[in-house]
Amino acid sequence: MPSPSAPNLDTELAEAVLVRFLRDELHRTGLRHLVLGLSGGIDSAVAAMLAVRAVGAEHLHAVAIPSAQSSPESLADARAVADAGGFAVETIAIGDAAAGLLPHLAAPGGADVTPLRRGNVMARLRMIVLYDVSARVAGLVVGMSNKTELLLGYGTLHGDMASALNPLGDLYKGQVRALARRLGVPQQVIEKPPTADLWAGQTDEGEMGFTYDEADAILHRLVDLRRAPADVVADGFPEPLVRRIETMIVRNQFKRRLPLIAKLSTRTIGHEFRYPRDWRT
Amino acid sequence: MKAALAQIFPRLADVPANLALHERSVNQAVAGGAELVVFPELSLTGYGLMESVPDVAIQLDSPTMRDLRQLSRAAAIVVGFVEEAPGARFYNSAAFVDRGEIVHVHRKVHLPTHGLFDEGRHFAAGDRIRAFDTRFGRAGMLICRDFWHLGPAYVLAAQQIDLLLVSSASPGRGATGGDGRFQSTASVDLLGDVYSRSFGVHVLHANRVGCEEGVTFTGASEAFGPAGNRLARARDLDEDLVFVDVDPDARRTARIHMPFQRDERPHLILRELQRALAERTQPGY
């Protein structure tokens, strides 16, 4: 297999563009505050470092949202990111909410809620917290799903994928890592294995069965370079892995689009009624 | 003559706000001694209009155009707008307005409709590439993609222009370069250099900045002298107003030195083009 890696990134340009993106797209709405969840992981660290540069610490509302399963290291890492970035972090725990809700979700007399469902519930509870904070402070929620996750569908719809502005959605995981180094994200956050932090010892790569570097390299060829899967295999990547990643891209397309609206009229939202989100701003 | 490139960040689909922005920019440019102010593509409306194209369109006799004509008493302006023509046709247009009169309107000829671009869906394509006379010399206008195709600039050069006025809204694409700029910016640089050198003209190119729908417009508006020499460059990504001295003598010197314009053979080019196009229709081409 060729040495897998994400495509190059001009991190100086990326920082300049993404800081302005957050500032311009926020200010045009008339709002002044950004809200984001700080998990202790690299994606939220990079998003927070960009956000603090865009609006300043006084306009950034970072929230750590631990569940009962979150490791103490995650919270410590979130604090380390906030210290490095010079902004405050608020903690709002969702353990009680999850404990109250989960028993009601189990099928009557049936099996417990599976880890995957439990993980999705946690992600959606965090969304509830963030959108409530955004209403409290009159701000916009910053998302941090990167291009690798978005293409693979490795995220929870209406959970961590919910946001108003996503500065990382066009960056592969390896590019996020490169940007993290430029932005002064603490070393231990850059180096630790990425995890959804749903149970002890869980890692993204362990769960997916391939590395982010492999995924980045294959996605870059399939998506950015428009190479056919067979050509990517010919480059030396294992065929089962290339096929699997291609399937994941296709099967998760629904997560990257709005819900389908059944067309009846001559001017349907999404078909003929098409206006920019930034309409009159 | 001193010109200014107004690298602005227009509000999307908000003509009154943008008209006020034009007035501020012109006042500032005039205070700096400018007699000509070039604005970016769709400077009066913002770029990604989608279905609001008809809502922001103006006719040439509209009150907004009257305000712009009034503004042109302070300095000549190149302004980008959505032009509504009879028959509910909407053009991505640029007007050269001076001393209270619309001197010329260029309707964008090449409407990019691929990738992130969707102009062909919303606009009618212009069908003229005409030079016009101004008090600063003979001029031609191009709008963004018109500038990337080689044909329009060539046709203007064949009409013996002195000034090539370009208005753009160029979205940044490609961030893997390593020189701190989008790859698309490098292409635009190259075109300004080549056209000014090959045609012996001044190139005044205003590009916009700001983010719309997550797309970042690159700025770096620039001016080239007639020997490919860069005379001015605005900032990357941020609003700016840059001034440039446009010296007619520099064109004379450049054309004596490298008489490309004199030595062009447009009839030969036309003949060969016609032959090439005729051959395209033949079987087996």
Side-chain angles (χ1 to χ4, degrees):
Chain A
M1 183 159 62
S3 115
S5 66
N8 290 336
L9 176 69
D10 186 328
T11 56
E12 178 194 351
L13 174 63
E15 178 187 347
V17 169
L18 299 176
V19 166
R20 284 166 179 78
F21 160 77
L22 288 171
R23 195 162 45 211
D24 290 353
E25 296 288 11
L26 172 69
H27 289 170
R28 73 189 317 151
T29 66
L31 302 176
R32 314 306 286 184
H33 296 269
L34 293 175
V35 176
L36 57 81
L38 207 59
S39 69
I42 190 170
D43 298 315
S44 67
V46 169
M49 291 299 191
L50 293 168
V52 75
R53 283 163 171 78
V55 297
E58 68 278 21
H59 293 115
L60 172 61
H61 299 268
V63 193
I65 317 174
S67 73
Q69 287 74 34
S70 300
S71 76
E73 292 80 40
S74 298
L75 201 56
D77 285 341
R79 293 229 163 80
V81 170
D83 289 346
F87 56 87
V89 57
E90 176 184 5
T91 301
I92 300 176
I94 52 169
D96 293 346
L101 180 61
L102 281 167
H104 298 282
L105 299 179
D112 279 349
V113 175
T114 61
L116 178 64
R117 284 170 56 204
R118 179 187 293 268
N120 284 334
V121 167
M122 300 304 169
R124 293 185 180 121
L125 287 174
R126 291 193 172 97
M127 177 277 293
I128 290 172
V129 170
L130 291 171
Y131 273 81
D132 186 64
V133 172
S134 81
R136 188 185 86 205
V137 305
L140 292 184
V141 174
V142 176
M144 53 206 60
S145 301
N146 60 56
K147 191 171 186 175
T148 310
E149 291 175 345
L150 288 172
L151 287 169
L152 296 176
Y154 195 70
T156 300
L157 196 58
H158 312 305
D160 55 289
M161 294 182 76
S163 70
L165 304 174
N166 179 355
L168 305 191
D170 205 14
L171 294 175
Y172 289 110
K173 186 76 172 185
Q175 296 176 312
V176 173
R177 229 177 276 131
L179 189 55
R181 286 191 283 272
R182 175 182 175 84
L183 296 174
V185 170
Q187 199 62 27
Q188 78 267 20
V189 174
I190 297 175
E191 285 172 3
K192 72 179 179 182
T195 173
D197 207 16
L198 300 175
W199 58 85
Q202 183 198 21
T203 65
D204 295 355
E205 293 180 341
E207 211 181 342
M208 293 188 297
F210 49 80
T211 67
Y212 273 116
D213 281 347
E214 289 168 332
D216 286 354
I218 293 170
L219 289 170
H220 173 57
R221 284 166 171 78
L222 290 174
V223 174
D224 302 74
L225 304 180
R226 293 176 181 262
R227 307 257 295 151
D231 294 334
V232 179
V233 172
D235 286 347
F237 291 91
E239 180 161 11
L241 181 56
V242 173
R243 295 285 168 205
R244 181 160 165 234
I245 284 179
E246 191 212 1
T247 304
M248 290 172 84
I249 296 172
V250 174
R251 286 183 58 174
N252 286 289
Q253 177 66 1
F254 74 96
K255 288 191 179 178
R256 297 183 290 264
R257 307 287 298 182
L258 291 172
L260 299 179
I261 293 174
K263 182 169 176 63
L264 291 171
S265 75
T266 54
R267 198 158 188 230
T268 308
I269 295 163
H271 290 290
E272 296 87 3
F273 185 88
R274 290 155 43 106
Y275 292 84
R277 182 172 165 133
D278 290 338
W279 199 2
R280 289 192 200 160
T281 62
Chain B
M1 186 268 285
K2 192 185 267 191
L5 308 177
Q7 183 167 295
I8 59 170
F9 180 177
R11 283 169 64 93
L12 189 53
D14 189 343
V15 172
N18 293 326
L19 185 59
L21 177 59
H22 282 65
E23 285 165 359
R24 289 196 299 278
S25 297
V26 168
N27 289 339
Q28 212 183 331
V30 167
E35 295 176 79
L36 166 65
V37 189
V38 183
F39 285 94
E41 176 180 17
L42 294 173
S43 56
L44 210 55
T45 61
Y47 180 75
L49 295 160
M50 303 174 77
E51 296 287 327
S52 58
V53 161
D55 304 335
V56 300
I58 58 175
Q59 298 178 4
L60 294 183
D61 59 358
S62 68
T64 302
M65 197 48 90
R66 204 161 54 231
D67 292 343
L68 287 166
R69 286 166 44 193
Q70 189 57 36
L71 188 59
S72 76
R73 296 185 189 280
I77 53 179
V78 175
V79 57
F81 65 107
V82 179
E83 178 193 357
E84 177 162 3
R89 278 174 297 128
F90 302 95
Y91 294 97
N92 179 341
S93 291
F96 188 101
V97 194
D98 188 23
R99 293 178 166 164
E101 297 300 328
I102 300 171
V103 177
H104 186 77
V105 173
H106 173 69
R107 297 167 169 172
K108 191 174 186 177
V109 168
H110 291 289
L111 301 173
T113 307
H114 65 100
L116 70 88
F117 302 100
D118 209 8
E119 292 184 30
R121 181 182 174 97
H122 303 293
F123 291 110
D127 58 5
R128 283 166 215 182
I129 302 166
R130 303 282 165 87
F132 55 98
D133 291 312
T134 75
R135 59 185 160 114
F136 314 115
R138 195 155 169 77
M141 291 191 288
L142 296 176
I143 303 174
C144 209
R145 184 57 65 88
D146 291 341
F147 184 62
W148 289 64
H149 288 264
L150 300 177
Y154 186 88
V155 169
L156 287 174
Q159 295 168 74
Q160 299 184 305
I161 59 168
D162 301 307
L163 302 172
L164 182 56
L165 308 171
V166 187
S167 298
S168 287
S170 184
R173 283 104 71 206
T176 57
D179 60 351
R181 329 184 75 188
F182 279 109
Q183 283 148 266
S184 49
T185 304
S187 308
V188 176
D189 280 3
L190 200 59
L191 291 167
D193 185 321
V194 168
Y195 289 166
S196 57
R197 201 185 291 271
S198 296
F199 301 136
V201 299
H202 282 92
V203 174
L204 305 180
H205 181 186
N207 187 23
R208 64 161 287 183
V209 291
C211 213
E212 249 177 34
E213 302 291 283
V215 170
T216 294
F217 296 93
T218 48
S221 300
E222 58 189 356
F224 286 91
N229 47 318
R230 183 181 289 128
L231 300 176
R233 160 174 241 159
R235 292 191 291 173
D236 286 313
L237 307 180
D238 292 318
E239 288 168 288
D240 207 351
L241 181 72
V242 295
F243 294 89
V244 53
D245 284 312
V246 179
D247 175 11
D249 289 341
R251 288 194 296 268
R252 181 170 182 271
T253 306
R255 290 170 188 181
I256 291 170
H257 194 65
M258 295 297 264
F260 290 130
Q261 217 180 56
R262 183 198 69 189
D263 295 345
E264 269 302 328
R265 301 186 60 191
H267 291 101
L268 179 154
I269 300 293
L270 180 63
R271 199 169 64 236
E272 289 299 307
L273 259 180
Q274 282 168 334
R275 178 193 55 77
L277 294 176
E279 284 177 5
R280 270 199 205 180
T281 63
Q282 288 169 11
Y285 177 80

